[in-house]
Amino acid sequence: TTIATNPYLSKIPIIITSGLEEDLGDDEWTMNAWCGCIMNNYVAKQIGRYVRLLGGDIGSKEYKNELKMLLNVYNTVSLMNKEFVGRFGDAPGGFHSATGNQMAFLMKFGVKVDTVDLTAVEYAIKHGYYDGYLGRKKFTENDVKETVKEMRKGRKVEASDKWLEIGAKYYHAFKAIIDANGYTSAAFRCWPEIQSDIMPFTACLSITWLLTKGDVSSAACESDWPTGVVQSMGTYLTGRSAACLDFVNYTGGSDILQLGHCGVGVAGCMAKGDCIADHTVARQVGAKLGPTLVGQFEYGPKTGINLIQTKDGKFKMLVFTGENSKD
């Protein structure tokens, strides 16, 4: 009843834990602590609370690892309730999964979504500032030049100086809008307008730089904010940025899964030996669309997360593990 009625306790996740009872040679006595967990779990269900039972040797590595995992999960739940996605433009036509049910995400995860038009980016670039919910955020030409220097440092640069400077300028325009509005993550309508006469430049480097600098918890392509939400979950759970990738090729008889994305899949903070290169797309032969940051995704164990909403409005999550290597 204390948990049910206390204003603070009623809103936080609960772990019910029991250590190992001292073995006094009586089997009934050694099970006493776990019985207590079960009894409290019954109460939790009656008052509509979700709790997690955790038993075992409190001094063991297994117990500590599971407790750490649970604390990461609960911290993620808390942070997702503060998640404020800045959506730069609506999803392109046909990208139905990128539209998402904003109310369902709000009710389930506490995530809020705010959409700004792409013209806001052009305004910020032209004037060097943006006025948002939290006030005005400015950037200068010197800020842009310093970012260009930072982008070059320790990297191979194959893109032109012009592309690099535009990429840095768009980064600061995005950041000004994000900071002025208090967004924690972002999703970008990166085409068709952004690669046309309206905005003849691909924003891949600028978006990636937001992740690399830790300005946002996620940065999704194609205005796919639901993917951005999953990226944020991965970031909060692990303390490292998560990649925005598509399922490219998977055959049931193979143990190899291919994941990929056009230009912003793997941020610089996730790669080794990264390089700033011209963004080219095979189906647009010879076209150079702007700069992008590419590199070899760090080898090692990886975890994939995929979240969908079913027809009945419920959420289903696929979590899979594997390893990427030279092989």
Side-chain angles (χ1 to χ4, degrees), residues 109-294:
F109 304 110
V111 172
K112 294 175 285 295
V113 182
D114 188 44
T115 303
V116 294
D117 196 82
L118 288 176
T119 54
V121 182
E122 291 302 294
Y123 181 92
I125 285 177
K126 182 178 179 180
H127 298 283
Y129 69 85
Y130 186 80
D131 292 316
Y133 305 127
L134 304 181
R136 177 171 291 186
K137 297 296 178 181
K138 302 177 182 179
F139 64 94
T140 66
E141 286 298 320
N142 188 58
D143 293 329
V144 174
K145 290 178 181 177
E146 288 299 314
T147 297
V148 169
K149 285 183 186 177
E150 191 177 2
M151 286 175 168
R152 284 185 172 279
K153 190 175 180 180
R155 290 183 179 85
K156 183 179 179 182
V157 178
E158 297 178 352
S160 68
D161 292 342
K162 172 191 170 185
W163 277 143
L164 208 58
E165 186 172 338
I166 295 176
K169 189 170 287 188
Y170 269 79
Y171 159 73
H172 280 285
F174 288 147
K175 187 176 185 302
I177 297 171
I178 288 166
D179 291 347
N181 285 330
Y183 298 147
T184 58
S185 57
F188 303 85
R189 177 166 175 145
C190 44
W191 75 280
E193 295 88 348
I194 228 168
Q195 297 170 18
S196 67
D197 292 338
I198 301 171
M199 202 180 288
F201 168 79
T202 183
C204 295
L205 174 61
S206 313
I207 297 170
T208 300
W209 203 249
L210 288 166
L211 266 183
T212 297
K213 294 294 292 178
D215 297 315
V216 288
S217 57
S218 66
C221 310
E222 296 152 350
S223 200
D224 189 354
W225 65 266
T227 291
V229 170
V230 179
Q231 274 185 281
S232 289
M233 288 180 187
T235 299
Y236 295 147
L237 284 168
T238 64
R240 298 192 65 188
S241 296
C244 168
L245 299 169
D246 290 333
F247 285 91
V248 177
N249 184 27
Y250 174 65
T251 305
S254 170
D255 60 356
I256 296 174
L257 168 68
Q258 277 187 294
L259 302 167
H261 217 286
C262 57
V264 73
V266 179
C269 54
M270 308 173 199
K272 294 293 185 183
D274 50 338
C275 164
I276 298 176
D278 286 316
H279 188 310
T280 58
V281 178
R283 59 181 173 270
Q284 293 174 261
V285 180
K288 293 183 178 180
L289 307 176
T292 185
L293 191 62
V294 296

Side-chain angles (χ1 to χ4, degrees), residues 33 40 65 85 95 118 144 225 269 276 316-317 320:
N40 281 290
N65 285 343
V85 183
F95 281 62
L118 288 176
V144 174
W225 65 266
C269 54
I276 298 176
K316 289 179 70 175
M317 178 177 282
F320 56 96

